[in-house]
Amino acid sequence: MKPRLLQHGRLPEKTEAQLAEQFDVHPFWAETDPAGYLAKHGGEFVAMTTRAAIGVDAAMLAALPNLRVISSFGVGTDKLDLETARARGIAVGYTPDVLNDCVADTAFALLMDAARQVSAADRFVRRGEWPKGPYPLTTRVSGKRLGIVGMGRIGRVIARRSIGFDMEVRYFGRKPQDGVDYGFEPSLEALASWADFLMVATSGGPSTRHLISASVLEALGPQGYLINIARGTVVDEAALVSALTDKRIAGAGLDVFEREPHVPEALFALDNVVLLPHVASGTHETRAAMADLVFDNLQSFFATGSVLKSAV
Ligand code: 8YV
């Protein structure tokens, strides 16, 4: 008998085929009566997969009384009820590290676009406006000051990318990080005031909700740029929209939003913000590596009792 696995959200085709070979998979994402199905069959499942964007909450875990392992596609754990998983001894696998490079690359793509207005200048050309005159001057990146909010796995790779731009780096977080050669700033407002570019690379969830507040944006100021490749919930989005509209910050580059896939339409007409649809890890190479790790976490758990990359 193959162990029963509840698939919560689609996964790459190769991964779904791998799971089908090793597990008795139920495609929960296709379920027309999710609550009814779990009430009737929830006790049959010992394993489940999910995605960082979907997660698994306390109510769902309560409907899975025999669950032993969760394998999540993504590094974000803000939608996973880790406290309940820990209390019940449920292993939780996720996919850190394999996406660091592509997320850090996207962070600099957004930073460069926000400062040099690459996308806005492209639209300028396509609208046939160049013959009427030159595109306005933009902002230099090289040699500027980069403030990183969250010096974790991805924040450290972003800091390394800054070397190529001769940037000075300081960072903010709960505490100074060992083995990090950048200046630690215990005050987020002070970091925002110092930085030319404020890079949000911290985890999502209740502890960081609206960490980038109206007062932080005010400290960043009319010469400062905000880049967010973390979670939309980390930024007070209404305050950001207002600051961009009123040009109380110079610009922003955003890959994540508070209510994805819905983006405040007030941003659509602005040339001082770059909008991406949460694609930072969205390359063939990285998504394949994440998918492999989702499967490998499960294989490891059923072979050894432990996942390869544990979130708990
Ligand atoms: C995921 C992400 O690919 O890894 C994360 O936490 O935000 C993305 O890289 C996406 O959320 C998967 O659903």
Side-chain angles (χ1 to χ4, degrees):
M1 287 281 283
K2 294 178 183 178
R4 289 221 77 191
L5 182 143
L6 193 75
Q7 183 182 334
H8 192 19
R10 294 307 302 260
L11 290 167
E13 193 174 327
K14 174 192 168 188
T15 308
E16 291 187 348
Q18 288 175 313
L19 292 173
E21 286 177 12
Q22 303 287 332
F23 299 95
D24 175 5
V25 180
H26 182 74
F28 190 62
W29 44 269
E31 192 53 56
T32 54
D33 176 16
Y37 181 83
L38 287 181
K40 191 171 180 184
H41 301 283
E44 299 165 13
F45 295 93
V46 293
M48 75 175 287
T49 59
T50 188
R51 297 176 66 100
I54 301 171
V56 56
D57 62 13
M60 188 167 187
L61 288 177
L64 297 164
N66 296 313
L67 192 67
R68 297 174 56 209
V69 58
I70 301 165
S71 187
S72 181
F73 180 85
V75 68
T77 59
D78 49 307
K79 291 190 177 177
L80 297 171
D81 182 353
L82 297 182
E83 185 179 342
T84 300
R86 277 192 202 95
R88 285 181 42 188
I90 299 171
V92 181
Y94 70 139
T95 64
D97 296 324
V98 295
L99 46 63
N100 295 352
D101 281 325
C102 279
V103 175
D105 293 348
T106 305
F108 264 89
L110 283 168
L111 187 151
M112 285 297 293
D113 198 337
R116 300 303 307 274
Q117 297 198 356
V118 175
S119 303
D122 175 274
R123 293 192 294 271
F124 171 86
V125 174
R126 294 173 193 268
R127 287 195 302 265
E129 294 190 29
W130 194 3
K132 304 171 189 171
Y135 193 80
L137 298 181
T138 57
T139 298
R140 175 187 172 124
V141 170
S142 292
K144 292 293 183 67
R145 292 175 298 222
L146 176 64
I148 299 178
V149 182
M151 189 55 76
R153 293 179 170 94
I154 293 174
R156 293 172 191 231
V157 179
I158 291 171
R160 277 211 309 275
R161 293 284 189 281
S162 75
I163 295 168
F165 291 88
D166 298 317
M167 298 178 89
E168 184 183 356
V169 174
R170 290 183 188 175
Y171 72 100
F172 167 84
R174 283 190 297 268
K175 61 185 187 319
Q177 293 295 306
D178 294 335
V180 169
D181 295 335
Y182 311 107
F184 175 68
E185 177 49 73
S187 160
L188 179 51
E189 276 79 359
L191 183 73
S193 180
W194 172 83
D196 299 300
F197 299 91
L198 192 64
M199 177 72 68
V200 184
T202 190
S203 58
S207 64
T208 59
R209 185 177 183 280
H210 288 193
L211 181 68
I212 309 299
S213 60
S215 65
V216 171
L217 294 170
E218 184 178 347
L220 183 58
Q223 308 303 316
Y225 293 82
L226 181 77
I227 311 301
N228 191 2
I229 45 82
R231 283 289 184 269
T233 54
V234 179
V235 178
D236 179 339
E237 198 163 81
L240 177 58
V241 172
S242 173
L244 286 165
T245 304
D246 300 344
K247 294 183 170 40
R248 284 182 278 107
I249 64 170
L254 309 173
D255 186 47
V256 287
F257 303 86
E258 278 205 89
R259 297 168 191 84
E260 295 176 12
H262 305 293
V263 176
E265 292 191 6
L267 297 177
F268 290 4
L270 300 182
D271 272 345
N272 62 344
V273 60
V274 184
L275 307 173
L276 292 182
H278 200 155
V279 293
S281 69
T283 61
H284 295 293
E285 297 86 346
T286 288
R287 290 294 172 87
M290 292 166 65
D292 288 346
L293 191 45
V294 166
F295 184 68
D296 293 346
N297 273 327
L298 288 167
Q299 290 284 81
S300 173
F301 176 79
F302 283 99
T304 70
S306 300
V307 295
L308 294 177
K309 295 286 185 179
S310 176
V312 290

